[in-house]
Amino acid sequence: MWKSLIFSSLLFTTTNLALSSLRINAQTETNNNPPAETYQPGFWQPVARVNMEKPISLNIINKTGVFLDYSFTDETLTPTVLRPDDTATIRSLNPENSIYLVIYPDMNNPNASRMSLKYSVEVTEDNVINLTVSVIEEISKGNRTFNLQPTGAIFLY
């Protein structure tokens, strides 16, 4: 009986290690920059990083076909309108504290509350963050908030 139990445990452990290895290999093959060994997929992982030693700029690129409003969640919280197919550039970002930027369909659009937006992030060699905003069908995969942390990590919520 003990031999059977030990064999079952050994088989279970070996199978889990093999599956973990496959999962790690699949992740590193799809990314140019392999994740750390401790990587666990999820919203708690940064989507990109900027170099905190260089000036940081942000381009918000509107590919939605509708007017967007965007605003930093600071004490002013004044929204700015971004026209369809336009780009807004924000220079000299300083994330001494975390920066939160909300982007959402302009409230003058009658379908604004039903639209789901998706953000895509690319950081260039010049430390420019290109944040492309598009419309998607799946509400559960949408974004409304861009977060830049003092460490240079970028998160999307």
Side-chain angles (χ1 to χ4, degrees):
M1 177 165 152
W2 286 105
K3 286 182 180 180
S4 174
L5 188 58
I6 291 172
F7 178 74
S8 295
S9 294
L10 184 58
L11 182 61
F12 179 75
T13 302
T14 305
T15 303
N16 279 341
L17 287 173
L19 289 174
S20 294
S21 174
L22 287 174
R23 185 172 62 239
I24 289 169
N25 287 339
Q27 289 173 348
T28 57
E29 289 173 5
T30 59
N31 298 322
N32 292 335
N33 187 8
E37 287 182 27
T38 57
Y39 177 85
Q40 294 292 316
F43 68 89
W44 53 85
Q45 295 292 337
V47 296
R49 290 187 180 274
V50 292
N51 183 344
M52 296 305 296
E53 304 298 317
K54 297 165 85 176
I56 304 166
S57 293
L58 171 66
N59 290 326
I60 306 169
I61 305 162
N62 183 355
K63 294 293 182 186
T64 63
V66 299
F67 285 82
L68 295 176
D69 291 335
Y70 66 93
S71 177
F72 290 102
T73 59
D74 57 14
E75 62 280 347
T76 60
L77 204 65
T78 305
T80 303
V81 176
L82 181 59
R83 300 165 80 72
D85 299 316
D86 266 359
T87 299
T89 300
I90 302 165
R91 298 190 199 300
S92 301
L93 285 177
N94 182 11
E96 189 174 292
N97 298 312
S98 286
I99 293 174
Y100 291 91
L101 177 74
V102 291
I103 306 170
Y104 46 92
D106 185 78
M107 297 313 286
N108 292 324
N109 183 330
N111 295 321
S113 65
R114 292 186 289 265
M115 293 182 79
S116 188
L117 304 178
K118 183 70 177 169
Y119 302 169
S120 299
V121 173
E122 174 197 15
V123 177
T124 70
E125 289 181 17
D126 296 330
N127 225 28
V128 175
I129 305 164
N130 289 318
L131 175 62
T132 303
V133 183
S134 55
V135 176
I136 62 170
E137 295 296 319
E138 294 181 64
I139 292 172
S140 65
K141 295 187 179 188
N143 304 115
R144 290 284 197 220
T145 307
F146 166 90
N147 171 227
L148 175 58
Q149 298 202 346
T151 60
I154 298 171
F155 293 89
L156 302 177
Y157 309 106

